[in-house]
Structures are given as structure tokens and as C-alpha cells.
Amino acid sequence: MSRRKLVAGNWKMNGLVASLAEFDRISAGAAAVSGADALICPPATLIAALAGRGLALGGQDCHAKPSGAHTGDLSAEMLRDAGASAVVLGHSERRADHGETDAQVRAKAEAAKRAGLLAIVCVGETLEQREAGQAVAVVGSQLAGSLPEGATAAEVVVAYEPVWAIGTGRAATPEDVREIHAALRAALVGRFGAEGENFRILYGGSVKPANAAELFAVPNVDGALVGGASLTAAEFLPILQAAA
Ligand code: PEP
């Protein structure tokens, strides 16, 4: 089974108009890498400004409804209209800061499909859950609750992001990643049959140029969701090259 790797950058709440030059450096470097897909998810305020500058763009969240009285929210259709082709959903920072549930993430994934956006659905256990031996059960439950019925690999990418590895500089070990990605693959095949083999499963959590290659060598790791190291071309491009 050959799945083309995807390296998606999550800029989180970072990026001003002044960041356009760095984006252009990332875009120019990514254009020279043909063996893997690249995507940057900037703050939504920058999507329209960055659209058409050569690199695929994603949002970091969306509302489940297409429009309406939801002050401060953005719909999947709006992200698409601004130039996005993807959206990150259920990131642990959204789950923690905004109390997002699996059911809400699932509704947002359905909205992404409705708008024609690729949904990057995040799952991941906390340190307490890992230390209690619950990691496989937690991510399995999040996956089951967050993915829409009948989802396909063309519509959904899964991202395993252990909460304790995000922004800490402490990436999961290849052994940890192997175990969880194998469990996620088995769950996808169990639910979606042969199509389950086609879903890309990204690893996220302190991916850097120094550890990208060993993480990409783990079976069922089909790319990365990258936070801090996606903010500069100097860090993002070596990660993309390691995936190619
Ligand atoms: C993320 O925000 O999804 C992430 C993985 O962050 P970092 O790479 O900084 O750990």
C-alpha cells in the first residue's frame, strides 16, 4: 500500500501580513519537492492573502453550519471561499481551550466534506491517559466518535497528536508511534473495510528536521502535522524533504 505523504504546517495563532515573505520562501522550497504533499494552515486572517501564492492552504477550525448567527466563527464554505482546500479539526488545543467534543468534531468534518475541504481530524491522549495505559483506547474512541459515517481517504486525513508531545520538544518515540498508528489503521480498516488502508495517518508533536526521517520510517506514518517547525522555511522544508 503506497500512500503519498502529507506534511501539513499548523501556524496556530501566529502570523501577520509581515509573514508573507516567509510563506513565499516555504512555498518556493516546497515547489521543488515533488515526492510529498505540502500544506500550510495559517491563521484564517491570512488565507485570502496567501491564496494563489503556490502552496495549498488550510484552516485550523470551522463551524459545522454553512452560515448564520455565530459571532466570531467561520464556516467551511468561508474557508473554501478564501482559498483553503483543507481544515484541521479537533486539534487538542481546540478540545482543551473550547471544550470541543468528538460529536462536534464529527459535525465539523461533515461540514468540511460539504464545502469540499479535506478534513485533518486530530486525536491524541494526554500524559495522564498514557501513563494510565489508556492511549490506544483513548485515540480509538476519539477516532470512532470524530469521523463521519462513510468517510473516505479523499475526504479525511487522521492526525495522531499525543497532547504531551505538542510544543514540548518531546516527540513520541518511534515505538509509541508504531503502536498507535497500527491501532488507528486497524480501526480504520475495521470500520471502512479496504478503504481504511487508503487513509493517511499523520504524526504530530514536536516534529523537527532532526527527528522527521525516523518518524516517517515508521509503518503507517503517512506524513506529519507540524506546529512550531512550520513557521520557517529553514525548519519546514527539511521535514518536507524527509517525507519525499
Ligand atoms: C501541532 O500544533 O499540531 C503540533 C504538532 O505542534 P508542534 O509541532 O509545535 O509540537
Side-chain angles (χ1 to χ4, degrees):
M1 172 55 54
S2 109
R3 294 172 294 265
R4 188 175 162 85
K5 285 188 171 53
L6 167 66
V7 179
N10 172 16
W11 280 13
K12 312 192 186 197
M13 200 171 71
N14 299 292
L16 301 169
V17 171
S19 315
L20 262 58
E22 194 62 32
F23 178 88
D24 285 341
R25 279 191 281 277
I26 293 173
S27 183
V33 179
S34 58
D37 294 334
L39 170 75
I40 292 289
C41 302
T45 47
L46 289 183
I47 291 175
L50 297 176
R53 295 172 87 103
L55 196 52
L57 296 165
Q60 300 175 12
D61 175 50
C62 70
H63 197 280
K65 298 209 173 130
S67 62
H70 301 287
T71 303
D73 282 317
L74 295 171
S75 70
E77 283 78 0
M78 289 169 174
L79 294 174
R80 175 89 192 195
D81 188 50
S85 56
V87 61
V88 174
L89 297 174
H91 190 283
S92 64
E93 288 154 15
R94 302 278 324 164
R95 291 179 187 262
D97 294 353
H98 301 275
E100 286 191 9
T101 65
D102 292 338
Q104 286 170 323
V105 175
R106 176 182 172 136
K108 291 175 182 212
E110 284 164 357
K113 175 179 177 167
R114 184 186 68 222
L117 297 180
L118 177 71
I120 301 174
V121 175
C122 303
V123 298
E125 81 286 359
T126 64
L127 188 58
E128 294 68 32
Q129 290 165 331
R130 171 157 287 272
E131 287 175 345
Q134 298 167 345
V136 169
V138 167
V139 299
S141 166
Q142 288 177 330
L143 188 78
S146 303
L147 260 49
E149 218 48 66
T152 68
E155 298 160 357
V156 172
V157 168
V158 175
Y160 168 54
E161 295 212 310
V163 177
W164 47 272
I166 295 177
T168 60
R170 178 188 166 194
T173 65
E175 292 70 34
D176 292 339
V177 175
R178 179 192 301 264
E179 180 192 27
I180 299 291
H181 280 233
L184 291 171
R185 178 69 62 207
L188 288 167
V189 171
R191 179 162 168 195
F192 300 108
E195 178 67 358
E197 291 285 358
N198 297 327
F199 285 81
R200 290 184 284 188
I201 307 175
L202 313 185
Y203 167 75
S206 297
V207 177
K208 307 288 177 198
N211 61 15
E214 71 170 355
L215 290 164
F216 292 150
V218 174
N220 290 303
V221 172
D222 306 310
L225 183 54
V226 184
S230 71
L231 292 170
T232 64
E235 286 210 291
F236 185 76
L237 293 174
I239 296 171
L240 180 62
Q241 283 153 1

